[in-house]
Amino acid sequence: MKKNYYLMLFALAFFLLGCREELDYVNNEGSSRSSYQFTKDNVKTQILHKSDYESRSFLKPNIELFNTFLQQNEDSASGSLSKDLSADTPEIYTDVFEEVNYLNAKYYSFYVTEISSDGFEKKIILKYIDNKLSGKYILKYKRLNDFKIDPNSFQLEKLIQSSNDNENSLITSQISLSVGCTNYTITTFNCGHEGNHSNGEYCSVDGIYMPYDVVSSVYTANCQPGTAGGTVGLPGDGSGGGIPTGGGPLDGGLGNDQTPEIITLPTTAPLYIIQRPKGIICNTLNLNNEEITQINSNYNVRLRIYQYLALSGINPQLCDGILTPEAEDFVKTALQYFKNHPNTTWEDYYNEFLATPCEKLKTQSTNVDYKAKIEALDKSSILSLKKETGFSESKSGVFAELLQAVSTANSDAMTVTVTPSLKGYIHTHVNDYLTGNVNENNEEEVKMPIRMFSPADVNTLMTMAQMATNGDYSQLYGTMVSSYGNYTIMFTGTASDIKTGFDTEQWTKNYVNYRILHKFWSFEKLFLNFLKEEMNVHGVELYKIKSNGTVQKKTLNSNNNVQSSDCPQ
């Protein structure tokens, strides 16, 4: 994957922070509890496809009826003379749709391939009780600027058979939309332990795919307009939280039985539809049919891709969007990756390929296994040894002890065996110590190791990058633990920046002599200037990880002095 494509995505952190935070609480103030308690055991959700639609023949007559109703409404709303002939006729998209099972009810939801002039998107919902059709609904909602659904925009319409003789005719029931008595609630589900929500993703704790978030409507018969309503998604086994999002009193046809009027998935981003105004085929992302089905089937990835495109100034819903080759390549590469790794979440993908070094180091510093290795090394008893100690980490997250090398006159180093599976290494640089030898004045010699990365450390990182034939260096790191502080180096350059050959005795001597020449410099300044002036290395970045968890990037200013920049919290 090409690194420059990922640089365009750093702004996504603003979207990723607090992902689904708006779903993760229950509003208890002044609300009456609903009898509906959704859990991961009594709610089953599925994303279905065209073959599923074909096999569920009972759905087709109702979808055809809905299509007729939508087209008739479109004609009557615009008028036969003023209708915009360049626009698509609204129709129901059946290549990807949803099924929700709750108790004895099944809910089938279909996306309408049209956004109305007032900004509302629509979903058709067919409710079945004991496999018999119980209700036909249209759920309308708007989106926020980041493409997430505005939870206060939900509106519900119930469709009933018209009273005329045409059995294929539908009319909308009389539903008041004033705020008050119908609450729309989004419920999430915990993955194994509280606080970890998995919206349709694989939960390794339970060994299952978690239900998708669901939105449901609750009718409160005695509610007065303007008062608070009930809430769904109460805390409990497998249940997350719910948000009552307003609505209005409905007619008596939407009574409160054993199941909600509707349960559906709050579509995280618009489905990717090839818009077809008259005479034009619009496919902003240049996706093939398989890719279109894939992106429409993955709620979480689609939202992130839409957000990426929005930040790039592209609206994938419009035919006049300007798409760069880098953006198109990113989308296609991401879809291919998720196809090959179906259990990967967007967050995992982001952390592996898109996160900045600052974000990676903050994530790494909270990793339990990594922290344990740092704590094992960051002890006076370890740092007072006469030789270095440390661990290697594989790309699969397995740590192993490094081979220790006995201290010599020129080195206290240890051996790091570099293989294509090596992700990084952690090692110590020890304190000053008595060598046991005496000088010409009969004084015992003191070894004073440089408690900062050495040319050999940089060489190890460069060798690791050299073995990353896919051009992805973002995972690679080297960490040094010392009494001077804990530091990490990362390679952020390109293949042309990779240089090796710094693991020789001569480079060690050059580094020691450079220190003698600049004996009043800090170790940070010593390393960064030696890296720049003597080694002529580019693309290696230095970070200090402070004891309070703060990560600082260390760079040289125009005067070759060290400047520290705290990573964003």
Side-chain angles (χ1 to χ4, degrees):
M1 304 185 80
K2 297 181 180 179
K3 181 174 181 292
N4 62 319
Y5 301 161
Y6 304 140
L7 295 176
M8 303 171 65
L9 290 165
F10 291 157
L12 267 179
F14 296 106
F15 287 115
L16 292 174
L17 292 174
C19 173
R20 289 201 302 275
E21 283 181 356
E22 74 275 21
L23 309 182
D24 293 344
Y25 69 91
V26 177
N27 183 358
N28 293 323
E29 285 189 33
S31 63
S32 58
R33 297 254 184 205
S34 166
S35 60
Y36 308 129
Q37 296 193 35
F38 302 137
T39 74
K40 65 178 182 292
D41 298 315
N42 66 20
V43 173
K44 306 298 180 185
T45 60
Q46 291 188 81
I47 303 295
L48 302 177
H49 299 94
K50 189 172 184 177
S51 59
D52 300 301
Y53 178 71
E54 296 296 333
S55 66
R56 289 164 170 76
S57 58
F58 60 90
L59 294 173
K60 291 182 181 180
N62 290 292
I63 294 303
E64 292 172 358
L65 188 60
F66 259 113
N67 269 326
T68 301
F69 171 79
L70 292 171
Q71 291 166 13
Q72 289 173 345
N73 264 24
E74 180 78 6
D75 290 339
S76 62
S78 57
S80 57
L81 295 178
S82 62
K83 183 175 180 178
D84 183 1
L85 295 179
S86 68
D88 274 344
T89 301
E91 61 180 338
I92 299 172
Y93 184 72
T94 57
D95 285 359
V96 175
F97 63 107
E98 306 150 4
E99 179 185 88
V100 179
N101 286 269
Y102 175 63
L103 302 179
N104 64 335
K106 286 186 178 181
Y107 303 82
Y108 294 96
S109 302
F110 298 84
Y111 188 82
V112 178
T113 62
E114 174 208 44
I115 298 178
S116 60
S117 58
D118 56 4
F120 278 99
E121 295 179 32
K122 299 174 183 176
K123 292 184 77 171
I124 300 300
I125 302 169
L126 298 175
K127 177 183 179 181
Y128 286 80
I129 298 291
D130 295 327
N131 297 320
K132 294 181 179 179
L133 185 63
S134 171
K136 309 180 187 78
Y137 304 91
I138 298 177
L139 181 66
K140 300 167 63 176
Y141 49 87
K142 292 184 177 181
R143 295 196 179 275
L144 302 171
N145 291 335
D146 64 355
F147 281 104
K148 294 177 183 177
I149 288 177
D150 179 355
N152 295 307
S153 68
F154 286 118
Q155 296 181 7
L156 185 64
E157 297 176 354
K158 182 178 182 180
L159 275 69
I160 59 176
Q161 210 76 35
S162 66
S163 58
N164 61 31
D165 295 333
N166 185 356
E167 62 180 12
N168 293 322
S169 179
L170 290 171
I171 61 173
T172 305
S173 64
Q174 298 299 312
I175 300 177
S176 170
L177 296 176
S178 60
V179 175
C181 297
T182 296
N183 293 308
Y184 302 92
T185 303
I186 298 176
T187 305
T188 62
F189 301 89
N190 290 333
C191 170
H193 54 283
E194 186 176 357
N196 185 1
H197 300 302
S198 240
N199 182 26
E201 297 169 345
Y202 184 74
C203 173
S204 58
V205 178
D206 293 337
I208 61 172
Y209 285 91
M210 296 299 292
Y212 286 88
D213 298 346
V214 295
V215 59
S216 58
S217 68
V218 178
Y219 174 66
T220 307
N222 298 320
C223 176
Q224 296 297 318
T227 63
T231 179
V232 181
L234 307 179
D237 178 27
S239 176
I243 303 176
T245 61
L250 307 182
D251 70 325
L254 294 178
N256 185 5
D257 57 18
Q258 295 302 309
T259 55
E261 292 82 28
I262 62 148
I263 309 177
T264 187
L265 280 56
T267 312
T268 56
L271 292 183
Y272 185 79
I273 309 296
I274 297 181
Q275 304 279 327
R276 290 181 294 274
K278 188 176 181 181
I280 299 174
I281 295 178
C282 174
N283 186 356
T284 311
L285 298 182
N286 195 28
L287 302 183
N288 58 40
N289 289 335
E290 181 181 0
E291 290 168 330
I292 290 173
T293 299
Q294 183 189 353
I295 193 172
N296 284 341
S297 301
N298 194 325
Y299 276 27
N300 303 296
V301 171
R302 188 168 73 253
L303 175 61
R304 302 296 179 253
I305 288 178
Y306 268 62
Q307 291 175 337
Y308 159 71
L309 294 172
L311 290 173
S312 304
I314 301 167
N315 186 341
Q317 294 295 99
L318 300 177
C319 285
D320 58 358
I322 300 174
L323 188 68
T324 63
E326 291 83 3
E328 180 180 329
D329 192 33
F330 160 73
V331 172
K332 287 180 172 288
T333 303
L335 290 177
Q336 184 62 45
Y337 183 87
F338 281 98
K339 178 181 177 181
N340 296 338
H341 304 83
N343 291 339
T344 297
T345 66
W346 176 267
E347 286 70 23
D348 292 337
Y349 179 75
Y350 183 89
N351 290 334
E352 184 170 354
F353 295 110
L354 310 180
T356 65
C358 275
E359 291 172 326
K360 285 181 177 294
L361 290 175
K362 289 175 68 176
T363 300
Q364 183 184 63
S365 65
T366 61
N367 179 277
V368 174
D369 294 331
Y370 180 85
K371 285 178 62 178
K373 298 300 181 282
I374 295 293
E375 291 170 359
L377 298 178
D378 198 3
K379 298 177 180 178
S380 59
S381 59
I382 301 297
L383 298 177
S384 298
L385 296 174
K386 296 183 180 182
K387 53 189 175 182
E388 297 179 2
T389 55
F391 302 91
S392 64
E393 183 187 4
S394 71
K395 289 178 180 177
S396 60
V398 177
F399 286 88
E401 287 192 38
L402 293 172
L403 298 176
Q404 294 180 331
V406 177
S407 176
T408 67
N410 294 310
S411 176
D412 313 291
M414 58 191 326
T415 303
V416 180
T417 302
V418 180
T419 66
S421 64
L422 182 65
K423 176 182 179 180
Y425 65 93
I426 311 169
H427 72 307
T428 59
H429 278 197
V430 297
N431 296 329
D432 299 350
Y433 61 88
L434 298 173
T435 65
N437 301 322
V438 295
N439 60 20
E440 57 189 16
N441 297 321
N442 203 33
E443 297 171 335
E444 190 167 3
E445 292 180 347
V446 178
K447 183 69 180 292
M448 295 184 292
I450 299 176
R451 292 187 284 281
M452 182 49 65
F453 290 104
S454 66
D457 293 331
V458 174
N459 192 80
T460 300
L461 183 65
M462 288 292 196
T463 306
M464 292 161 58
Q466 200 171 50
M467 290 190 176
T469 56
N470 63 352
D472 176 28
Y473 316 117
S474 60
Q475 297 184 69
L476 309 180
Y477 73 91
T479 294
M480 182 212 68
V481 178
S482 76
S483 58
Y484 182 71
N486 298 341
Y487 293 82
T488 294
I489 50 174
M490 302 185 76
F491 181 62
T492 59
T494 64
S496 62
D497 295 319
I498 297 174
K499 298 172 64 175
T500 57
F502 303 113
D503 57 343
T504 65
E505 184 176 330
Q506 185 59 53
W507 274 106
T508 301
K509 289 180 178 179
N510 292 348
Y511 196 35
V512 172
N513 291 334
Y514 193 78
R515 180 196 181 187
I516 294 172
L517 184 64
H518 303 287
K519 60 183 178 181
F520 296 113
W521 282 7
S522 68
F523 287 142
E524 295 174 357
K525 185 174 182 178
L526 183 80
F527 171 71
L528 290 174
N529 277 280
F530 189 81
L531 192 70
K532 174 184 175 182
E533 295 179 356
E534 304 298 320
M535 299 173 67
N536 192 28
V537 165
H538 304 280
V540 173
E541 295 185 350
L542 177 66
Y543 295 86
K544 182 175 184 178
I545 293 82
K546 302 175 74 173
S547 58
N548 63 0
T550 301
V551 178
Q552 284 186 328
K553 183 178 181 180
K554 303 288 183 174
T555 56
L556 294 176
N557 61 19
S558 57
N559 296 320
N560 288 334
N561 290 319
V562 177
Q563 60 182 19
S564 302
S565 303
D566 286 353
C567 289
Q569 295 298 316

